[in-house]
Amino acid sequence: MPETVVLTCLACGQGNRVPAEKLNSGPKCAKCGAPMFAANVAELDLKVHDKARRTDQLPLLIDYWAEWCGPCKMMAPEFAKAAQAIKPRARFAKVNTEQYPEISSRLNIRGIPLLILYANGREVARLSGARPAADIEGFVRQHL
Ligand code: ZN
Protein backbone atom coordinates (compact mmCIF):
# COMPACT_ATOMS: atom_id res chain seq x y z
CA MET A 1 0.00 0.00 0.00
CA PRO A 2 1.29 3.53 -0.77
CA GLU A 3 2.14 5.92 2.07
CA THR A 4 -0.87 8.10 1.41
CA VAL A 5 -4.21 7.15 -0.04
CA VAL A 6 -6.34 9.56 -2.04
CA LEU A 7 -9.95 9.40 -0.89
CA THR A 8 -12.89 11.57 -1.86
CA CYS A 9 -14.93 12.81 1.08
CA LEU A 10 -18.30 11.15 0.48
CA ALA A 11 -20.04 14.00 2.31
CA CYS A 12 -18.59 17.08 0.54
CA GLY A 13 -16.58 15.74 -2.39
CA GLN A 14 -13.24 17.12 -1.25
CA GLY A 15 -10.21 15.04 -2.24
CA ASN A 16 -8.15 14.04 0.81
CA ARG A 17 -4.72 12.45 1.12
CA VAL A 18 -4.94 10.09 4.06
CA PRO A 19 -1.73 8.60 5.48
CA ALA A 20 -2.05 4.82 5.13
CA GLU A 21 -1.26 4.27 8.82
CA LYS A 22 -4.20 6.53 9.78
CA LEU A 23 -6.81 4.54 7.83
CA ASN A 24 -7.55 2.52 10.95
CA SER A 25 -7.89 5.46 13.32
CA GLY A 26 -11.01 7.20 12.02
CA PRO A 27 -9.61 9.71 9.49
CA LYS A 28 -11.74 12.78 8.83
CA CYS A 29 -12.19 15.10 5.86
CA ALA A 30 -9.83 18.09 6.07
CA LYS A 31 -12.53 20.37 4.66
CA CYS A 32 -15.81 19.41 6.35
CA GLY A 33 -14.72 17.10 9.18
CA ALA A 34 -16.94 14.19 8.08
CA PRO A 35 -15.48 10.75 8.83
CA MET A 36 -13.91 9.07 5.79
CA PHE A 37 -15.44 5.78 7.01
CA ALA A 38 -18.87 6.85 8.22
CA ALA A 39 -21.01 4.63 10.42
CA ASN A 40 -23.89 5.17 8.01
CA VAL A 41 -23.51 4.37 4.32
CA ALA A 42 -23.22 7.71 2.47
CA GLU A 43 -25.78 8.66 -0.17
CA LEU A 44 -23.90 10.18 -3.09
CA ASP A 45 -24.92 12.77 -5.62
CA LEU A 46 -23.58 12.23 -9.12
CA LYS A 47 -20.76 14.72 -8.76
CA VAL A 48 -19.30 12.98 -5.72
CA HIS A 49 -20.07 9.56 -7.26
CA ASP A 50 -18.12 10.36 -10.43
CA LYS A 51 -15.19 11.85 -8.59
CA ALA A 52 -14.89 9.08 -6.00
CA ARG A 53 -15.12 6.21 -8.48
CA ARG A 54 -12.48 7.78 -10.72
CA THR A 55 -9.94 9.01 -8.19
CA ASP A 56 -10.22 6.95 -4.99
CA GLN A 57 -7.24 4.76 -4.20
CA LEU A 58 -9.27 2.36 -2.08
CA PRO A 59 -11.89 0.09 -3.65
CA LEU A 60 -15.34 1.65 -3.64
CA LEU A 61 -18.54 -0.40 -3.71
CA ILE A 62 -21.66 1.43 -4.81
CA ASP A 63 -25.19 0.20 -4.19
CA TYR A 64 -27.53 1.45 -6.93
CA TRP A 65 -31.01 1.42 -5.42
CA ALA A 66 -34.41 3.11 -5.42
CA GLU A 67 -37.12 3.85 -2.90
CA TRP A 68 -39.73 1.73 -4.75
CA CYS A 69 -37.47 -1.34 -4.79
CA GLY A 70 -38.38 -3.71 -1.94
CA PRO A 71 -35.32 -5.97 -2.26
CA CYS A 72 -33.09 -2.85 -2.25
CA LYS A 73 -34.52 -1.78 1.09
CA MET A 74 -34.23 -5.30 2.46
CA MET A 75 -30.58 -5.38 1.52
CA ALA A 76 -29.69 -1.95 3.00
CA PRO A 77 -28.90 -3.20 6.54
CA GLU A 78 -26.86 -6.10 5.09
CA PHE A 79 -24.90 -3.67 2.95
CA ALA A 80 -24.22 -1.44 5.99
CA LYS A 81 -23.09 -4.47 7.99
CA ALA A 82 -20.66 -5.55 5.27
CA ALA A 83 -19.33 -1.97 5.05
CA GLN A 84 -18.42 -2.01 8.72
CA ALA A 85 -16.86 -5.46 8.47
CA ILE A 86 -14.60 -4.54 5.58
CA LYS A 87 -13.41 -1.06 6.55
CA PRO A 88 -10.78 0.33 6.11
CA ARG A 89 -9.93 -1.96 3.16
CA ALA A 90 -12.76 -0.56 1.04
CA ARG A 91 -15.58 1.98 1.26
CA PHE A 92 -19.28 1.52 0.55
CA ALA A 93 -21.76 4.14 -0.66
CA LYS A 94 -25.11 4.30 -2.40
CA VAL A 95 -26.80 6.16 -5.24
CA ASN A 96 -30.55 6.59 -5.57
CA THR A 97 -31.35 5.76 -9.21
CA GLU A 98 -34.80 7.29 -8.87
CA GLN A 99 -33.28 10.61 -7.90
CA TYR A 100 -30.60 10.35 -10.63
CA PRO A 101 -32.23 8.36 -13.46
CA GLU A 102 -29.49 9.25 -15.96
CA ILE A 103 -27.07 7.04 -14.06
CA SER A 104 -28.99 3.90 -15.07
CA SER A 105 -28.55 4.51 -18.80
CA ARG A 106 -25.00 5.81 -18.37
CA LEU A 107 -23.90 2.67 -16.54
CA ASN A 108 -26.23 0.34 -18.40
CA ILE A 109 -28.06 -0.70 -15.25
CA ARG A 110 -30.93 -3.04 -16.16
CA GLY A 111 -32.11 -4.04 -12.71
CA ILE A 112 -31.63 -3.11 -9.09
CA PRO A 113 -30.34 -3.67 -6.52
CA LEU A 114 -27.01 -3.66 -8.31
CA LEU A 115 -23.60 -3.38 -6.69
CA ILE A 116 -20.66 -2.10 -8.72
CA LEU A 117 -17.14 -2.32 -7.37
CA TYR A 118 -14.63 0.29 -8.52
CA ALA A 119 -10.88 0.24 -8.01
CA ASN A 120 -8.06 2.30 -9.47
CA GLY A 121 -10.47 4.48 -11.39
CA ARG A 122 -12.37 1.77 -13.19
CA GLU A 123 -15.18 -0.72 -12.82
CA VAL A 124 -13.97 -4.07 -11.53
CA ALA A 125 -17.07 -6.21 -11.08
CA ARG A 126 -20.85 -6.22 -10.65
CA LEU A 127 -23.11 -8.14 -8.31
CA SER A 128 -26.85 -8.03 -8.88
CA GLY A 129 -29.77 -8.94 -6.68
CA ALA A 130 -30.33 -8.60 -2.94
CA ARG A 131 -27.55 -10.35 -1.02
CA PRO A 132 -26.76 -11.07 2.62
CA ALA A 133 -23.83 -9.27 4.26
CA ALA A 134 -21.55 -12.31 4.02
CA ASP A 135 -22.00 -12.49 0.22
CA ILE A 136 -21.34 -8.77 -0.19
CA GLU A 137 -18.24 -8.96 1.96
CA GLY A 138 -17.00 -12.04 0.09
CA PHE A 139 -17.56 -10.33 -3.25
CA VAL A 140 -15.41 -7.35 -2.24
CA ARG A 141 -12.68 -9.42 -0.56
CA GLN A 142 -12.34 -11.49 -3.71
CA HIS A 143 -11.20 -8.32 -5.51
CA LEU A 144 -9.01 -6.70 -2.83
ZN1 ZN B 1 -15.73 16.60 3.44
Side-chain angles (χ1 to χ4, degrees):
M1 190 170 275
E3 274 173 34
T4 62
V5 178
V6 173
L7 287 178
T8 304
C9 171
L10 299 179
C12 78
Q14 172 74 26
N16 283 257
R17 282 186 181 279
V18 181
E21 77 270 12
K22 294 232 167 106
L23 285 174
N24 256 318
S25 45
K28 292 191 164 119
C29 172
K31 187 176 171 196
C32 77
M36 302 305 288
F37 296 90
N40 298 319
V41 174
E43 280 279 358
L44 307 186
D45 64 26
L46 291 194
K47 203 173 147 217
V48 174
H49 166 270
D50 286 347
K51 183 172 178 183
R53 75 191 182 112
R54 285 186 186 133
T55 62
D56 274 21
Q57 291 180 326
L58 277 184
L60 178 68
L61 183 69
I62 309 269
D63 172 17
Y64 297 89
W65 75 289
E67 195 62 47
W68 51 261
C69 163
C72 295
K73 291 167 110 170
M74 257 171 49
M75 187 174 72
E78 297 296 306
F79 189 74
K81 207 165 126 191
Q84 291 305 307
I86 217 150
K87 76 175 185 186
R89 300 288 309 280
R91 293 198 300 170
F92 287 27
K94 55 208 298 184
V95 169
N96 184 332
T97 60
E98 200 172 9
Q99 198 174 351
Y100 303 105
E102 65 269 38
I103 200 72
S104 297
S105 53
R106 183 141 69 83
L107 298 178
N108 201 17
I109 296 171
R110 298 211 177 93
I112 53 172
L114 175 69
L115 304 180
I116 302 184
L117 181 67
Y118 299 95
N120 302 313
R122 58 187 188 84
E123 181 178 327
V124 174
R126 295 186 176 205
L127 185 69
S128 57
R131 308 279 180 158
D135 282 17
I136 299 168
E137 199 188 329
F139 169 71
V140 175
R141 289 202 189 278
Q142 195 186 321
H143 296 283
L144 286 178

